[in-house]
Amino acid sequence: MRPLRRMGIVEAKGHVLDWDTAMGEALYEASLAPDHRDIPVGAVLLDGDGNVVARDHNRREERGDATAHAEMLVLSERSRDLRDWHLDGHTLVVTLEPCAMCAMAAVWSRVERIVYAASDPKAGAVWSLFNIPQDERLNHRCEVVAGIREPEAAAQLREFFANHR
């Protein structure tokens, strides 16, 4: 299954979610990461009603923790808040295609959908290298929406790497 490429407003289970606005929140989070030398990747988690219930950005350098990816942080925060690892009905919105660790965490937590901006040809595990969220061998699959505000996310990453070489 290929990722669904959609722009703008998308209906999901009877309500309307605006991916552009949600990705704007994730892009803002990503802009905070370079303050502590982290790669600018931001994520927000939406509940089934489209409300932002968790937000964060990469903190690997800040925390000295290889698992402190934006996606992992928002999934963990929401699970702690709910006291439940089941995140059915939630949407993970992230500025860069999730890696294998983050894609699998989304599957394990039963996230309904992953929305991402820029593809990651070197580490992307939602479509570029692997298709973990839609692998039929797994007991849960996530809908995938790709390319939302991709130019902005890609520019953010290019600028970061240009300034850190």
Side-chain angles (χ1 to χ4, degrees):
M1 236 186 291
R2 295 199 130 250
L4 303 172
R5 295 196 179 269
R6 301 190 223 180
M7 300 301 282
I9 298 175
V10 177
E11 261 189 66
K13 290 197 174 181
H15 58 274
V16 177
L17 302 174
D18 180 345
W19 302 140
D20 272 359
T21 301
M23 190 60 73
E25 296 291 320
L27 286 162
Y28 172 75
E29 279 297 324
S31 75
L32 302 174
D35 291 347
H36 41 81
R37 298 182 344 261
D38 272 293
I39 296 171
V41 176
V44 296
L45 191 66
L46 308 176
D47 66 11
D49 294 324
N51 301 306
V52 175
V53 293
R55 64 179 63 237
D56 216 327
H57 53 275
N58 275 4
R59 295 180 182 272
R60 293 181 316 164
E61 297 297 330
E62 180 185 53
R63 296 184 180 177
D65 179 356
T67 67
H69 291 202
E71 303 96 320
M72 299 295 287
L73 297 172
V74 299
L75 294 171
S76 293
E77 178 183 335
R78 183 61 170 163
S79 293
R80 276 192 310 276
D81 289 348
L82 293 175
R83 296 177 187 241
D84 189 356
W85 59 271
H86 294 91
L87 299 180
D88 302 275
H90 287 71
T91 298
L92 176 62
V93 180
V94 61
T95 60
L96 182 64
E97 179 182 1
C99 68
M101 173 182 67
C102 296
M104 200 67 229
V107 170
W108 289 145
S109 60
R110 308 297 193 262
V111 165
E112 183 174 333
R113 147 185 338 97
I114 299 170
V115 176
Y116 69 89
S119 295
D120 186 350
K122 293 183 179 180
V126 173
W127 185 254
S128 295
L129 294 177
F130 308 105
N131 187 354
I132 290 173
Q134 296 176 335
D135 190 318
E136 293 184 7
R137 295 170 292 183
L138 300 173
N139 64 345
H140 177 76
R141 280 166 290 292
C142 308
E143 176 186 354
V144 174
V145 180
I148 304 300
R149 297 181 72 167
E150 182 175 10
E152 292 167 76
Q156 212 173 36
L157 289 161
R158 272 193 309 276
E159 181 181 330
F160 174 81
F161 287 113
N163 292 333
H164 288 85
R165 291 194 181 186

